[in-house]
Amino acid sequence: MTPIDSATNPHKASAGISLADSADPRRVLADRVEQIYSQMPIGIAGSFVISVVAAIELRQGRFVEIVIFWAGLVVLLTAATLGLYWSYRRSTTKASEAAQWLRWLAISALATGATWGFAAAVFFPSHADEQQVFLAFLLAGVVAGGVPMYAVSWPVYALYAAGIIFPFTYVLATFGNKLFAEIALLIPAFYALNVAIAYRLNQVFDSGYRLRHAYGKLTEDYTALNQRVEQQLDELLQAQREVEASGRKLALFAERSPIAVLQMDHNATILELNPAAENLFGYAAVELVGRNAIRTLFSSANPVLGGAAWQSFIETAKPLSLPPAGCVRRDGIEVSCEFTLTPLVNEDGDLLSVIAQVRDVTQVLEADRLKKEFTSTLSHELRTPLTSIIGSLQLVNSGVMGEMDKDIVELTEVAERNAQRLLDLINDILDIEKIESGKFVLFPEDIELDTLVRESLLLNRSFADRFKVRLEASGGLPGLEVKADRKRLLQVLTNLLSNAAKFSNEGGAVEVFMSVTDAMVRVDIADRGTGIPENFRDRIFGRFAQADSALTRQKGGTGLGLAICKRLIEAMNGRIGFEDREGGGTLFYFEMPVAKAFAQADK
Ligand code: ADP
């Protein structure tokens, strides 16, 4: 009783309910219809056999013709029911049209019931007592036998039983016998009881089918889930293999890397290091692993990664590049190293370890020191005496020392020119060195550009005369001021003018134009000279860049002028460039922001 109970009572097991409710009702109906149809052959055979037995028994009565008619009815109905069964079996729409097949079945059940009802109505009153008992027994049997047959759908059973019961009840009630009349009153009650049982069974079947489908669905879901899990497992394995491969690749990179690499934990304890690190610090890996990197590798005087600095690096967990710091090798030799620290963090931002890439910059720093020494030598040991040599030669060449032999004059002039070139070179080298090392300071002031340009023309006139080139300014901008370092802007103008003069043809002219657009003023220095060769254009602002060194030797120059100009103009928030000039020659230009004073005056 218990299992049926729990299956039939939907309120007993809430888990069962939600599971059963998830079944597809159409599939449940199709299953129930299939169940009834599958029982049909037994039902048809049983009904037919009982009908034959009944016909044989009842034929002894007075109405043989009616018995034959009834038997014919039974045969016809049996054939029709078999036809229905056969069509159902062959049907391809069993599942999708289950409701229609159930309706056909209900008609067939009603017809079967009615055939028995007909037998009851016709044969009961016309037979002797024993046959009446036999018939009543038979009818009770077919009513009861219909319960397991049709209970999967209780309305079908109700129709079937009604077809039998109601004609029989009518016959009993109108027979004229008191006992039969009383039985007639009880039969509808039996009918109701049987239908109730069928209804109950119907529920049992229904929830059974629902459960079956729900479990079927669960199994399908489980299989799909299993497949997904398997697929994900495969992907995971693949990913693991890839991670392992890239891990091996990384390890290989670190091992072969010429840069020292150390892995440390959050306390700066060394976890791992590559051969380059062993070379750099002179320790074997086993000697360093487990030791504190800051205490072991840095010279004690060096505070670069002292307690607080390391702690704040760990807290911020941001990559950090340290300035060169003194480190001590195992053999006691001091080396300068540049540390780049990269924290490795997981997705939650927790620090896993720190990777330090260490570059030995001892030689770089030494080279830098030597360079500084060299520039200082250039500045003091060469420039100072050279300036006095040039001064002396200028005096001699000016004629104040009296008339001199023409050959001597030629020689002293060559000496002065070359000494001047040497001084220019030294000055340019010192300039560029100063700019690039960041030691160079600008003194910006409001300058009237027009005046400055004319001044530069005057200053460069004698230089231009040497190349028989005229310097001409057109379109001035009186009153317009720019904020710039006067001396440096003059240096730029001088360089551009002298270049233009140097690379112009004899008798040519260098023209200077000034124009203003928006907040910028532009100065163009244009010549009709040789032009800039195509393959030199992208190098022209580089250091020691010269298109034709033979020509430059002849005309003078260091290849540093434009490099200095570019850096100076950019430091004064300007822009410098060049373009080909229509009709031949080159046009160099620079643009500078217009000073505030002028902008206000302009308004
Ligand atoms: P340099 O002192 O040699 O003139 P610059 O840096 O001033 O050095 O110029 C670099 C090179 O650019 C020059 O040697 C020359 O080849 C080329 N150059 C510069 N200005 C001009 C110009 N106006 N016309 C043609 N070539 C030029």
Side-chain angles (χ1 to χ4, degrees):
M1 187 72 189
T2 320
I4 293 178
D5 233 31
S6 64
T8 51
N9 189 346
H11 303 287
K12 282 213 171 154
S14 59
I17 270 306
S18 55
L19 192 68
D21 282 355
S22 68
D24 178 357
R26 278 176 316 166
R27 290 181 66 189
V28 171
L29 179 68
D31 262 13
R32 286 167 51 195
V33 172
E34 170 65 25
Q35 170 72 20
I36 302 188
Y37 271 91
S38 71
Q39 291 173 173
M40 261 176 93
I42 301 172
I44 294 167
S47 180
F48 185 73
V49 169
I50 295 168
S51 305
V52 170
V53 173
I56 292 167
E57 177 62 31
L58 297 171
R59 114 191 106 82
Q60 292 151 0
R62 281 171 287 163
F63 300 104
V64 180
E65 300 84 2
I66 298 181
V67 173
I68 293 168
F69 171 74
W70 180 72
L73 214 63
V74 168
V75 170
L76 262 179
L77 188 68
T78 306
T81 322
L82 274 173
L84 176 64
Y85 174 71
W86 186 75
S87 317
Y88 175 79
R89 277 282 156 251
R90 298 205 48 184
S91 164
T92 51
T93 57
K94 280 201 276 282
S96 58
E97 288 175 6
Q100 182 54 41
W101 286 108
L102 190 66
R103 276 195 284 278
W104 283 116
L105 193 95
I107 293 167
S108 138
L110 182 62
T112 310
T115 310
W116 283 106
F118 174 84
V122 176
F123 300 127
F124 193 82
S126 58
H127 282 81
D129 288 352
E130 299 118 64
Q131 278 159 336
Q132 281 177 334
V133 172
F134 168 75
L135 197 60
F137 171 77
L138 220 63
L139 292 176
V142 289
V143 168
V147 175
M149 176 69 198
Y150 296 119
V152 176
S153 174
W154 72 269
V156 174
Y157 174 75
L159 279 175
Y160 165 76
I164 304 169
I165 294 269
F166 289 115
F168 186 47
T169 309
Y170 175 75
V171 166
L172 285 180
T174 56
F175 201 78
N177 179 321
K178 194 169 165 257
L179 178 70
F180 285 178
E182 281 167 7
I183 293 172
L185 281 177
L186 280 176
I187 287 179
F190 283 131
Y191 170 74
L193 193 71
N194 269 348
V195 170
I197 291 170
Y199 174 73
R200 197 87 175 104
L201 281 173
N202 182 120
Q203 277 189 323
V204 174
F205 281 124
D206 195 47
S207 68
Y209 282 123
R210 277 170 190 273
L211 269 175
R212 200 176 98 178
H213 277 288
Y215 276 119
K217 204 161 152 255
L218 256 184
T219 315
E220 276 169 28
D221 289 353
Y222 175 74
T223 314
L225 200 78
N226 234 354
Q227 276 169 356
R228 261 219 325 266
V229 168
E230 262 174 44
Q231 190 189 340
Q232 282 176 352
L233 216 84
D234 279 352
E235 283 169 10
L236 222 73
L237 272 172
Q238 182 61 26
Q240 190 191 354
R241 266 182 236 123
E242 278 166 22
V243 167
E244 277 171 7
S246 70
R248 278 198 297 276
K249 213 160 44 183
L250 261 181
L252 207 72
F253 278 149
E255 205 178 298
R256 301 266 166 89
S257 161
I259 292 179
V261 182
L262 298 145
Q263 192 185 3
M264 298 175 278
D265 70 4
H266 63 285
N267 288 321
T269 305
I270 298 169
L271 305 173
E272 226 181 311
L273 59 150
N274 71 349
E278 289 180 303
N279 279 342
L280 173 57
F281 296 109
Y283 287 93
V286 282
E287 291 176 292
L288 278 182
V289 170
R291 288 173 71 175
N292 183 282
I294 300 170
R295 283 196 293 275
T296 314
L297 303 178
F298 288 98
S299 52
S300 55
N302 197 300
V304 177
L305 265 186
W310 176 262
Q311 215 41 53
S312 93
F313 161 69
I314 292 295
E315 273 158 26
T316 51
K318 295 251 162 62
L320 181 68
S321 293
L322 299 175
C327 290
V328 200
R329 285 169 49 92
R330 190 177 189 277
D331 50 22
I333 294 175
E334 285 233 5
V335 283
S336 297
C337 297
E338 256 177 17
F339 279 73
T340 305
L341 303 176
T342 311
L344 289 183
V345 287
N346 64 13
E347 277 178 1
D348 301 330
D350 301 328
L351 186 102
L352 302 176
S353 63
V354 176
I355 300 290
Q357 286 162 293
V358 194
R359 207 160 66 90
D360 181 357
V361 290
T362 317
Q363 284 174 3
V364 177
L365 293 182
E366 180 59 15
D368 209 44
R369 195 187 59 75
L370 284 174
K371 200 170 102 186
K372 275 189 197 132
E373 233 175 67
F374 173 68
T375 46
S376 143
T377 311
L378 270 188
S379 166
H380 297 108
E381 313 300 324
L382 283 177
R383 197 160 59 161
T384 318
L386 204 55
T387 315
S388 67
I389 292 172
I390 293 170
S392 308
L393 285 169
Q394 275 171 346
L395 262 182
V396 172
N397 292 336
S398 67
V400 290
M401 313 294 288
E403 274 296 306
M404 272 192 298
D405 202 55
K406 196 175 160 236
D407 294 343
I408 298 175
V409 171
E410 259 174 28
L411 283 176
T412 50
E413 274 177 0
V414 169
E416 186 199 330
R417 254 202 320 278
N418 282 315
Q420 189 58 52
R421 276 180 71 176
L422 202 57
L423 187 63
D424 287 347
L425 180 63
I426 292 169
N427 284 338
D428 281 354
I429 289 175
L430 288 173
D431 261 353
I432 201 118
E433 208 283 318
K434 229 191 253 169
I435 293 170
E436 287 182 353
S437 63
K439 274 189 226 137
F440 135 95
V441 188
L442 284 173
F443 299 99
E445 56 184 301
D446 289 346
I447 301 164
E448 204 198 9
L449 191 69
D450 202 62
T451 317
L452 192 80
V453 167
R454 283 172 209 287
E455 194 181 326
S456 74
L457 291 186
L458 264 179
L459 283 174
N460 286 283
R461 183 138 298 149
S462 64
F463 182 81
D465 285 347
R466 271 183 22 209
F467 297 93
K468 300 198 172 48
V469 172
R470 296 186 311 281
L471 300 181
E472 295 167 357
S474 58
L477 291 169
L480 185 134
E481 291 182 353
V482 290
K483 195 164 229 44
D485 183 314
R486 184 185 177 77
K487 197 175 132 206
R488 294 306 189 173
L489 196 54
L490 204 56
Q491 184 180 349
V492 172
L493 277 164
T494 300
N495 198 283
L496 296 180
L497 283 171
S498 60
N499 275 352
K502 268 194 306 190
F503 297 103
S504 286
N505 300 319
E506 261 188 35
V510 172
E511 290 161 280
V512 181
F513 310 100
M514 278 174 273
S515 56
V516 63
T517 48
D518 296 333
M520 299 297 271
V521 58
R522 173 171 159 146
V523 179
D524 296 332
I525 292 114
D527 62 56
R528 291 276 175 214
T530 51
I532 314 285
E534 198 62 46
N535 62 359
F536 179 61
R537 288 166 182 251
D538 50 349
R539 286 186 292 128
I540 195 163
F541 288 106
R543 297 195 305 172
F544 300 106
Q546 292 176 322
D548 179 347
S549 49
L551 186 71
T552 321
R553 253 197 308 280
Q554 180 201 326
K555 304 219 175 204
T558 61
L560 284 168
L562 287 178
I564 294 170
C565 287
K566 184 171 165 65
R567 285 158 178 77
L568 287 176
I569 288 291
E570 282 171 2
M572 291 186 277
N573 305 316
R575 211 167 69 84
I576 189 166
F578 68 95
E579 48 201 49
D580 285 336
R581 201 177 171 199
E582 230 172 88
T586 316
L587 184 149
F588 273 86
Y589 65 86
F590 64 85
E591 289 170 338
M592 301 276 294
V594 172
K596 225 182 201 169
F598 177 78
Q600 278 161 357
D602 202 26
K603 278 175 195 167

mmCIF file of all heavy atoms in Angstrom, residues 138-161:
data_model
loop_
_atom_site.group_PDB
_atom_site.id
_atom_site.type_symbol
_atom_site.label_atom_id
_atom_site.label_comp_id
_atom_site.label_asym_id
_atom_site.label_seq_id
_atom_site.Cartn_x
_atom_site.Cartn_y
_atom_site.Cartn_z
ATOM 1 N N LEU A 138 -22.327 -12.153 -15.604
ATOM 2 C CA LEU A 138 -21.488 -11.772 -16.759
ATOM 3 C C LEU A 138 -21.313 -10.257 -16.848
ATOM 4 O O LEU A 138 -20.207 -9.739 -17.042
ATOM 5 C CB LEU A 138 -22.193 -12.279 -18.029
ATOM 6 C CG LEU A 138 -21.298 -12.865 -19.099
ATOM 7 C CD1 LEU A 138 -20.600 -14.102 -18.550
ATOM 8 C CD2 LEU A 138 -22.148 -13.244 -20.303
ATOM 9 N N LEU A 139 -22.457 -9.553 -16.645
ATOM 10 C CA LEU A 139 -22.381 -8.080 -16.753
ATOM 11 C C LEU A 139 -21.496 -7.495 -15.655
ATOM 12 O O LEU A 139 -20.683 -6.604 -15.902
ATOM 13 C CB LEU A 139 -23.784 -7.479 -16.669
ATOM 14 C CG LEU A 139 -24.696 -7.795 -17.862
ATOM 15 C CD1 LEU A 139 -26.089 -7.250 -17.645
ATOM 16 C CD2 LEU A 139 -24.101 -7.187 -19.138
ATOM 17 N N ALA A 140 -21.677 -8.071 -14.431
ATOM 18 C CA ALA A 140 -20.828 -7.580 -13.331
ATOM 19 C C ALA A 140 -19.357 -7.812 -13.672
ATOM 20 O O ALA A 140 -18.486 -6.967 -13.437
ATOM 21 C CB ALA A 140 -21.194 -8.297 -12.038
ATOM 22 N N GLY A 141 -19.109 -8.960 -14.296
ATOM 23 C CA GLY A 141 -17.720 -9.315 -14.690
ATOM 24 C C GLY A 141 -17.175 -8.341 -15.705
ATOM 25 O O GLY A 141 -16.060 -7.830 -15.545
ATOM 26 N N VAL A 142 -17.968 -8.042 -16.765
ATOM 27 C CA VAL A 142 -17.401 -7.138 -17.795
ATOM 28 C C VAL A 142 -17.250 -5.713 -17.277
ATOM 29 O O VAL A 142 -16.338 -4.983 -17.663
ATOM 30 C CB VAL A 142 -18.190 -7.158 -19.132
ATOM 31 C CG1 VAL A 142 -17.984 -8.451 -19.871
ATOM 32 C CG2 VAL A 142 -19.652 -6.877 -18.947
ATOM 33 N N VAL A 143 -18.169 -5.328 -16.353
ATOM 34 C CA VAL A 143 -18.007 -3.979 -15.744
ATOM 35 C C VAL A 143 -16.695 -3.945 -14.954
ATOM 36 O O VAL A 143 -15.872 -3.037 -15.107
ATOM 37 C CB VAL A 143 -19.208 -3.633 -14.833
ATOM 38 C CG1 VAL A 143 -18.901 -2.385 -13.996
ATOM 39 C CG2 VAL A 143 -20.446 -3.393 -15.660
ATOM 40 N N ALA A 144 -16.503 -4.993 -14.119
ATOM 41 C CA ALA A 144 -15.280 -5.019 -13.296
ATOM 42 C C ALA A 144 -14.034 -5.181 -14.158
ATOM 43 O O ALA A 144 -13.001 -4.537 -13.921
ATOM 44 C CB ALA A 144 -15.369 -6.160 -12.293
ATOM 45 N N GLY A 145 -14.159 -6.018 -15.203
ATOM 46 C CA GLY A 145 -12.990 -6.256 -16.082
ATOM 47 C C GLY A 145 -12.560 -4.994 -16.813
ATOM 48 O O GLY A 145 -11.390 -4.835 -17.167
ATOM 49 N N GLY A 146 -13.534 -4.077 -17.020
ATOM 50 C CA GLY A 146 -13.178 -2.816 -17.720
ATOM 51 C C GLY A 146 -12.276 -1.909 -16.894
ATOM 52 O O GLY A 146 -11.567 -1.064 -17.440
ATOM 53 N N VAL A 147 -12.285 -2.115 -15.548
ATOM 54 C CA VAL A 147 -11.488 -1.202 -14.698
ATOM 55 C C VAL A 147 -9.997 -1.262 -15.052
ATOM 56 O O VAL A 147 -9.409 -0.239 -15.429
ATOM 57 C CB VAL A 147 -11.728 -1.476 -13.195
ATOM 58 C CG1 VAL A 147 -10.817 -0.607 -12.340
ATOM 59 C CG2 VAL A 147 -13.175 -1.227 -12.837
ATOM 60 N N PRO A 148 -9.343 -2.454 -14.971
ATOM 61 C CA PRO A 148 -7.915 -2.462 -15.334
ATOM 62 C C PRO A 148 -7.697 -2.108 -16.797
ATOM 63 O O PRO A 148 -6.658 -1.570 -17.171
ATOM 64 C CB PRO A 148 -7.474 -3.904 -15.048
ATOM 65 C CG PRO A 148 -8.715 -4.711 -15.012
ATOM 66 C CD PRO A 148 -9.798 -3.811 -14.554
ATOM 67 N N MET A 149 -8.731 -2.429 -17.603
ATOM 68 C CA MET A 149 -8.572 -2.186 -19.044
ATOM 69 C C MET A 149 -8.502 -0.687 -19.375
ATOM 70 O O MET A 149 -7.635 -0.220 -20.101
ATOM 71 C CB MET A 149 -9.774 -2.856 -19.736
ATOM 72 C CG MET A 149 -9.851 -2.648 -21.208
ATOM 73 S SD MET A 149 -8.547 -3.527 -22.045
ATOM 74 C CE MET A 149 -8.591 -2.649 -23.581
ATOM 75 N N TYR A 150 -9.440 0.073 -18.775
ATOM 76 C CA TYR A 150 -9.562 1.496 -19.176
ATOM 77 C C TYR A 150 -9.140 2.493 -18.096
ATOM 78 O O TYR A 150 -9.259 3.695 -18.308
ATOM 79 C CB TYR A 150 -11.006 1.804 -19.566
ATOM 80 C CG TYR A 150 -11.479 1.034 -20.776
ATOM 81 C CD1 TYR A 150 -12.541 0.155 -20.696
ATOM 82 C CD2 TYR A 150 -10.848 1.196 -22.010
ATOM 83 C CE1 TYR A 150 -12.987 -0.554 -21.797
ATOM 84 C CE2 TYR A 150 -11.292 0.486 -23.120
ATOM 85 C CZ TYR A 150 -12.345 -0.385 -23.006
ATOM 86 O OH TYR A 150 -12.759 -1.063 -24.092
ATOM 87 N N ALA A 151 -8.698 1.993 -16.950
ATOM 88 C CA ALA A 151 -8.460 2.932 -15.845
ATOM 89 C C ALA A 151 -7.370 3.968 -16.140
ATOM 90 O O ALA A 151 -7.309 4.998 -15.484
ATOM 91 C CB ALA A 151 -8.100 2.163 -14.589
ATOM 92 N N VAL A 152 -6.561 3.687 -17.141
ATOM 93 C CA VAL A 152 -5.518 4.688 -17.460
ATOM 94 C C VAL A 152 -6.192 6.005 -17.850
ATOM 95 O O VAL A 152 -5.637 7.084 -17.673
ATOM 96 C CB VAL A 152 -4.615 4.153 -18.590
ATOM 97 C CG1 VAL A 152 -3.595 5.185 -19.007
ATOM 98 C CG2 VAL A 152 -3.914 2.889 -18.126
ATOM 99 N N SER A 153 -7.421 5.932 -18.382
ATOM 100 C CA SER A 153 -8.196 7.147 -18.649
ATOM 101 C C SER A 153 -9.598 6.921 -18.101
ATOM 102 O O SER A 153 -10.418 6.230 -18.704
ATOM 103 C CB SER A 153 -8.237 7.422 -20.160
ATOM 104 O OG SER A 153 -9.091 8.506 -20.383
ATOM 105 N N TRP A 154 -9.859 7.486 -16.943
ATOM 106 C CA TRP A 154 -11.128 7.183 -16.259
ATOM 107 C C TRP A 154 -12.353 7.616 -17.058
ATOM 108 O O TRP A 154 -13.381 6.917 -17.037
ATOM 109 C CB TRP A 154 -11.145 7.744 -14.833
ATOM 110 C CG TRP A 154 -11.269 9.260 -14.761
ATOM 111 C CD1 TRP A 154 -10.287 10.158 -14.729
ATOM 112 C CD2 TRP A 154 -12.482 10.002 -14.752
ATOM 113 N NE1 TRP A 154 -10.754 11.421 -14.703
ATOM 114 C CE2 TRP A 154 -12.151 11.352 -14.708
ATOM 115 C CE3 TRP A 154 -13.853 9.646 -14.775
ATOM 116 C CZ2 TRP A 154 -13.089 12.368 -14.695
ATOM 117 C CZ3 TRP A 154 -14.794 10.670 -14.754
ATOM 118 C CH2 TRP A 154 -14.412 12.012 -14.724
ATOM 119 N N PRO A 155 -12.360 8.709 -17.838
ATOM 120 C CA PRO A 155 -13.584 9.043 -18.591
ATOM 121 C C PRO A 155 -13.944 7.930 -19.585
ATOM 122 O O PRO A 155 -15.111 7.648 -19.823
ATOM 123 C CB PRO A 155 -13.215 10.338 -19.312
ATOM 124 C CG PRO A 155 -12.082 10.903 -18.554
ATOM 125 C CD PRO A 155 -11.332 9.738 -18.044
ATOM 126 N N VAL A 156 -12.902 7.279 -20.155
ATOM 127 C CA VAL A 156 -13.148 6.194 -21.099
ATOM 128 C C VAL A 156 -13.866 5.048 -20.368
ATOM 129 O O VAL A 156 -14.849 4.488 -20.858
ATOM 130 C CB VAL A 156 -11.816 5.714 -21.730
ATOM 131 C CG1 VAL A 156 -12.028 4.480 -22.603
ATOM 132 C CG2 VAL A 156 -11.187 6.826 -22.555
ATOM 133 N N TYR A 157 -13.353 4.802 -19.152
ATOM 134 C CA TYR A 157 -13.996 3.731 -18.372
ATOM 135 C C TYR A 157 -15.439 4.101 -18.031
ATOM 136 O O TYR A 157 -16.359 3.284 -18.118
ATOM 137 C CB TYR A 157 -13.208 3.441 -17.083
ATOM 138 C CG TYR A 157 -13.939 2.445 -16.225
ATOM 139 C CD1 TYR A 157 -13.954 1.093 -16.591
ATOM 140 C CD2 TYR A 157 -14.681 2.846 -15.115
ATOM 141 C CE1 TYR A 157 -14.684 0.175 -15.850
ATOM 142 C CE2 TYR A 157 -15.411 1.944 -14.372
ATOM 143 C CZ TYR A 157 -15.410 0.597 -14.739
ATOM 144 O OH TYR A 157 -16.135 -0.316 -14.011
ATOM 145 N N ALA A 158 -15.621 5.379 -17.633
ATOM 146 C CA ALA A 158 -16.957 5.830 -17.245
ATOM 147 C C ALA A 158 -17.942 5.635 -18.404
ATOM 148 O O ALA A 158 -19.081 5.188 -18.209
ATOM 149 C CB ALA A 158 -16.906 7.294 -16.832
ATOM 150 N N LEU A 159 -17.498 5.930 -19.623
ATOM 151 C CA LEU A 159 -18.362 5.760 -20.803
ATOM 152 C C LEU A 159 -18.687 4.283 -21.019
ATOM 153 O O LEU A 159 -19.841 3.899 -21.260
ATOM 154 C CB LEU A 159 -17.636 6.301 -22.043
ATOM 155 C CG LEU A 159 -17.684 7.813 -22.256
ATOM 156 C CD1 LEU A 159 -16.815 8.181 -23.445
ATOM 157 C CD2 LEU A 159 -19.120 8.272 -22.497
ATOM 158 N N TYR A 160 -17.619 3.475 -20.933
ATOM 159 C CA TYR A 160 -17.752 2.031 -21.158
ATOM 160 C C TYR A 160 -18.767 1.432 -20.169
ATOM 161 O O TYR A 160 -19.723 0.757 -20.553
ATOM 162 C CB TYR A 160 -16.374 1.385 -20.994
ATOM 163 C CG TYR A 160 -16.368 -0.111 -20.851
ATOM 164 C CD1 TYR A 160 -16.564 -0.933 -21.971
ATOM 165 C CD2 TYR A 160 -16.164 -0.713 -19.608
ATOM 166 C CE1 TYR A 160 -16.555 -2.317 -21.829
ATOM 167 C CE2 TYR A 160 -16.164 -2.086 -19.469
ATOM 168 C CZ TYR A 160 -16.349 -2.899 -20.585
ATOM 169 O OH TYR A 160 -16.332 -4.253 -20.443
ATOM 170 N N ALA A 161 -18.545 1.746 -18.878
ATOM 171 C CA ALA A 161 -19.394 1.151 -17.844
ATOM 172 C C ALA A 161 -20.823 1.684 -17.936
ATOM 173 O O ALA A 161 -21.793 0.951 -17.727
ATOM 174 C CB ALA A 161 -18.799 1.435 -16.478
#
